[in-house]
Amino acid sequence: MFRRIGNVVVRHPVWTIVAWLIAAVAIVATAPSLPSNSDESSFLPRSYESIKAAELQEKAFPSAFTPSAIALYQRTDGGRLTAADQKDVARITSELGAKHIDQVQKVVPGRPSKDGKYAMTLVQMDSKNAGQPQQVDAAKELRKDVKDLATGTRLDVKLGGSAAQALDQEDSSKRGQALIGIGTFVIILVTLLIIFRAPILAVLPLLLIGLVSAIANGLIAYATKLFDLRANSSISSILIVVLFGVGTDYFLFLMFRYRERLRAGDEPKQAMVNAVDRVGEAIASAAGAVIIAFLALVLSTLGFLKQMGPALAIAVGATLIAGLTLIPAVVSLIGPKVFWPSKSWQKEPENARFAALGRGVQRRPALTAVLSGLVLVVLSLGTLGFNATFDLASGSMPKTKESMVVQDEMQQAYSAGAAAPTDVYLSSTDGKPLDKAAFGAYAQKLGAVEGVANARMAQVNKAGTTADFTVTLKYEASTDKAIDAVGQVRDVAHSAAPDGTEALVGGMSSIFKDIDSAVNHDYRTVFPVAALLIMVILGLLLRSVVAPWYLIASVGLGFGATLGATVWIFQEGQGHSGLMFMLPVIMYLFVVAIGTDYNILMIARLREEAREGRDPREAAGMALRHAGPTVAAAGFILAATFATMMLAGNALLTEMGFAVSFGIAVAAFVMAMFFTPSLTALIGHAAWWPGHGDQAKPTASGAGTGPGDASGGDGRDAVTHDPAGRRG
């Protein structure tokens, strides 16, 4: 199949390129805009209590006041607010409401702080559009207007709240994307220049992957609209890295093989056909593992991850098709001039370092397996200290952003939970009015829960069938203490509910509590499903039921080592209270899927070496010698591109960038180079049962079919080829 693909695109390179350009123009021109949503509650399905509570609140108290934005005032000198200052606050609040800004429903004064240094204006927006672009625009206008209205007074005013956080998150995301894009571009360009010493080859993947990126983003927007998925601004930053990182990997695999075939004496166009034929299966299997792992995210209960899975799968799928069609077409059109001005492509250099490493694995596979495995196990111990944090807004932007400053100042000036109180909705189950005489005792029981600052009955609906009890926690909504406290509030609310009533607990802390439960569900569902599907791909590629087990186990160890190292760096080293809650899921899929890529390349090369009649240990040593440089180059570029996410300046992308880049480095330089080949050498022929894929086969004559052209080769092998394709 891959030879047929290679023949078609090499024979018709111009038509292949034209088809890609037409597709790009058509998709980009017609694709809908990709919406962004930063409302955490929208990530949960309706079966969770916090979502049921929110729906009940909309029905029972449609006019209930829930602020989407908070203007926080204090004097410029930091002193107590005077009567004149308070009059200015009242005037600003009134004039702000009179502007009738789109999405704004109510503007009312908030209560002053106990120390008299702070005052608030509370702004309610349409709850149906929480986190959507129109509310981001409204927050931008509010921020400008409130500052203009405060001009000439002694007040310093800042805008916070969920709508302002969405605005700041969007601004931070744009800055982060720009830094990530520039960093990714520079790393790929410089690294390819060092590897090939050819400017055309260094620039070419950036141009081609840029085209693929435009198509992928359009397809993702279509899928998001078609399946009504939730989008989040962080996805765009991840997409940049995935497209350019994975795309460059596939470009490297193909170009190393193309260069190898040219060195073997193939005519240029035939060299590209042979390259696609031989490396196509490895690239398709590697991409298939990544796509399967990403698609496993559709089993997630979180809307954020449900969106991310298909989006990343579409991106990798587009990159795979480009790797098998667009890249071969363009390179075959340019020919060997793509390596200009370097002449190193014409001869085989010695790979002394990788040859020495290969000999080490060949002589001492047990020692290599134990030492590399020990490194992974020791790093994995750090996972025991893992703790999750749930404040997606503050994790997605620097603490210096205005909405984050407001959040911190409100925690100091008011009760930490005042900015996002918890609501307990008590409803009758038979439709009869509630017994108001029981409200006082019920509120008292809620207020007695550890971690609760106060609890009071706030309002009853017109029918008298639902009562809203406002519970203010002592802690900020996203902290571990607040989440533990709201769990106790739920227990008391349910158990203390009078006969004939039921209670639902809502609010941000309740949402975070449910997100915690959802993530734990995803750990039990997504992880094993992704692992099982990747094992199926490995089994089909290797025709073995043995090798996939220890390959996926090695990648699992790599995941543990990555999470453990991230815990030690950020929690123990930098004193973070925890890591972002979705990090292990994302890390697992990237490290497992992409780590499997390198295992596939190495094990495929090892199988080719074994088919030449080498014993398992020698085959492992030769595989490392010849495939090692490819894995090293690809692993370095991909790890470095993911590391650019640390430039974004927020906790989420910094943690994600470090974790994924570290995991890829472990996958390439520990698992694929040492752990996997040494284990395969120790297991021997049994690794290929029942397919016996390592058995020697007769060699066919002709360029491109010799056993020396093993899948996963790097093109810098210290080998020679005779006319029949046998390795000398």
Side-chain angles (χ1 to χ4, degrees):
M1 180 181 76
F2 296 106
R3 175 166 286 276
R4 287 197 296 271
I5 293 173
N7 273 320
V8 170
V9 299
V10 170
R11 269 190 211 149
H12 309 288
V14 174
W15 285 113
T16 303
I17 296 167
V18 168
W20 271 91
L21 291 173
I22 291 173
V25 171
I27 291 172
V28 172
T30 60
S33 60
L34 187 65
S36 179
N37 196 339
S38 60
D39 179 21
E40 284 90 341
S41 65
S42 66
F43 300 157
L44 288 167
R46 293 183 175 181
S47 58
Y48 283 88
E49 181 170 348
S50 59
I51 306 305
K52 290 180 180 178
E55 292 176 345
L56 175 61
Q57 181 260 316
E58 288 183 8
K59 292 178 183 177
F61 308 103
S63 60
F65 191 90
T66 304
S68 299
I70 301 170
L72 185 66
Y73 306 89
Q74 66 178 130
R75 282 181 61 88
T76 53
D77 60 9
R80 291 174 62 89
L81 297 175
T82 65
D85 296 329
Q86 292 171 355
K87 189 177 292 185
D88 284 331
V89 170
R91 174 186 57 80
I92 293 171
T93 301
S94 176
E95 292 183 13
L96 199 61
K99 287 183 177 292
H100 302 294
I101 297 170
D102 181 46
Q103 296 295 309
V104 172
Q105 296 176 329
K106 289 182 183 178
V107 180
V108 300
R111 61 185 178 87
S113 62
K114 290 182 179 179
D115 61 9
K117 292 183 177 181
Y118 293 88
M120 295 187 293
T121 293
L122 306 178
V123 181
Q124 181 180 6
M125 297 187 189
D126 187 351
S127 60
K128 295 179 181 178
N129 294 322
Q132 295 298 323
Q134 53 264 50
Q135 288 204 359
V136 172
D137 294 338
K140 188 173 184 179
E141 189 173 349
L142 274 170
R143 181 170 283 171
K144 178 182 181 300
D145 288 346
V146 76
K147 290 182 184 297
D148 288 344
L149 291 171
T151 302
T153 70
R154 294 185 177 182
L155 295 172
D156 175 44
V157 58
K158 303 181 187 72
L159 191 74
S162 59
Q165 288 176 355
L167 171 62
D168 289 341
Q169 188 176 351
E170 183 181 87
D171 291 341
S172 180
S173 177
K174 288 178 180 177
R175 174 182 173 275
Q177 285 179 40
L179 290 172
I180 289 169
I182 294 169
T184 299
F185 183 91
V186 171
I187 287 170
I188 293 174
L189 186 66
V190 171
T191 307
L192 290 178
L193 277 172
I194 293 172
I195 292 173
F196 293 107
R197 295 184 289 280
I200 297 176
L201 263 183
V203 174
L204 193 59
L206 296 170
L207 296 176
L208 297 181
I209 298 167
L211 177 64
V212 175
S213 175
I215 292 175
N217 275 292
L219 293 175
I220 289 165
Y222 273 121
T224 300
K225 184 175 182 179
L226 181 63
F227 298 105
D228 193 27
L229 300 172
R230 299 287 183 180
N232 185 274
S233 53
S234 296
I235 291 176
S236 298
S237 300
I238 299 170
L239 274 175
I240 293 171
V241 178
V242 169
L243 282 162
F244 281 89
V246 174
T248 304
D249 267 9
Y250 298 161
F251 179 83
L252 281 173
F253 300 156
L254 186 67
M255 292 311 302
F256 280 150
R257 184 53 56 87
Y258 176 59
R259 187 171 66 177
E260 181 176 345
R261 296 315 310 156
L262 288 174
R263 287 170 173 171
D266 289 359
E267 181 271 330
K269 289 189 178 296
Q270 189 60 42
M272 181 54 73
V273 174
N274 291 335
V276 174
D277 177 36
R278 300 301 301 222
V279 84
E281 183 183 23
I283 291 178
S285 299
V290 178
I291 291 170
I292 287 291
F294 288 157
L295 285 179
L297 282 175
V298 300
L299 300 175
S300 170
T301 50
L302 293 174
F304 172 80
L305 295 178
K306 277 182 179 289
Q307 157 69 8
M308 180 180 288
L312 296 179
I314 289 170
V316 175
T319 306
L320 167 63
I321 296 170
L324 297 177
T325 59
L326 180 61
I327 293 173
V330 172
V331 174
S332 66
L333 202 60
I334 300 172
K337 291 180 181 178
V338 75
F339 296 104
W340 179 87
S342 173
K343 298 185 183 299
S344 62
W345 64 273
Q346 298 173 349
K347 59 183 179 180
E348 298 281 359
E350 292 291 336
N351 288 317
R353 287 187 295 272
F354 288 95
L357 291 174
R359 288 193 297 271
V361 170
Q362 179 179 339
R363 291 171 185 164
R364 300 181 180 85
L367 179 63
T368 304
V370 169
L371 289 179
S372 55
L374 190 61
V375 169
L376 298 176
V377 170
V378 170
L379 288 173
S380 297
L381 295 176
T383 59
L384 299 175
F386 171 73
N387 185 51
T389 57
F390 298 90
D391 189 357
L392 187 60
S394 63
S396 301
M397 69 186 101
K399 286 290 187 182
T400 54
K401 284 291 186 179
E402 186 170 325
S403 59
M404 291 295 96
V405 173
V406 170
Q407 179 174 290
D408 291 341
E409 290 182 349
M410 284 193 65
Q411 288 181 39
Q412 297 171 8
Y414 298 83
S415 172
T422 295
D423 288 287
V424 177
Y425 299 102
L426 188 68
S427 300
S428 65
T429 55
D430 56 8
K432 296 179 181 179
L434 295 168
D435 179 11
K436 296 183 180 180
F439 288 173
Y442 189 66
Q444 190 174 7
K445 289 178 181 178
L446 293 174
V449 174
E450 185 177 354
V452 172
N454 61 74
R456 61 185 178 84
M457 203 286 290
Q459 57 186 329
V460 180
N461 69 339
K462 291 181 179 179
T465 55
T466 300
D468 174 14
F469 294 82
T470 299
V471 178
T472 304
L473 302 178
K474 295 178 181 178
Y475 319 109
E476 195 274 321
S478 65
T479 60
D480 292 339
K481 290 183 178 180
I483 293 169
D484 291 340
V486 86
Q488 295 180 51
V489 169
R490 281 185 178 182
D491 292 339
V492 172
H494 297 159
S495 62
D499 293 339
T501 67
E502 65 177 1
L504 291 174
V505 180
M508 288 309 302
S509 293
S510 185
I511 289 171
F512 291 133
K513 178 73 175 176
D514 286 340
I515 288 177
D516 188 21
S517 300
V519 170
N520 289 330
H521 167 272
D522 291 348
Y523 291 163
R524 296 189 300 269
T525 305
V526 177
F527 284 17
V529 168
L532 180 63
L533 293 174
I534 290 173
M535 284 180 65
V536 170
I537 288 180
L538 289 171
L540 292 173
L541 170 68
L542 303 174
R543 281 77 169 174
S544 166
V545 297
V546 176
W549 284 99
Y550 68 83
L551 289 176
I552 204 69
S554 71
V555 177
L557 266 179
F559 163 76
T562 303
L563 181 56
T566 308
V567 168
W568 275 335
I569 293 292
F570 291 96
Q571 287 186 208
E572 306 298 332
Q574 297 190 10
H576 290 194
S577 60
L579 305 178
M580 292 306 297
F581 67 90
M582 81 282 283
L583 186 64
V585 177
I586 295 170
M587 186 191 307
Y588 176 87
L589 292 168
F590 277 110
V591 173
V592 169
I594 297 174
T596 303
D597 278 10
Y598 301 134
N599 269 343
I600 285 173
L601 289 168
M602 185 61 73
I603 205 76
R605 183 71 188 228
L606 193 153
R607 180 181 60 180
E608 294 289 343
E609 298 291 346
R611 282 177 173 174
E612 293 185 35
R614 295 187 170 92
D615 65 53
R617 293 192 178 199
E618 185 183 4
M622 293 300 290
L624 178 54
R625 175 185 178 185
H626 298 307
T630 307
V631 172
F636 172 79
I637 288 180
L638 195 59
T641 52
F642 271 104
T644 60
M645 294 171 70
M646 299 174 70
L647 301 173
N650 66 65
L652 173 61
L653 291 180
T654 298
E655 291 172 3
M656 194 182 299
F658 170 82
V660 177
S661 61
F662 184 87
I664 289 169
V666 167
F669 297 100
V670 179
M671 288 189 301
M673 283 196 189
F674 299 107
F675 196 61
T676 296
S678 61
L679 275 181
T680 307
L682 288 172
I683 296 172
H685 297 293
W688 308 99
W689 184 88
H692 304 295
D694 64 330
Q695 290 183 350
K697 295 184 178 181
T699 303
S701 298
T705 59
D709 189 26
S711 181
D714 65 51
R716 295 181 290 179
D717 306 348
V719 298
T720 59
H721 297 266
D722 67 16
R726 293 186 295 271
R727 179 176 278 112

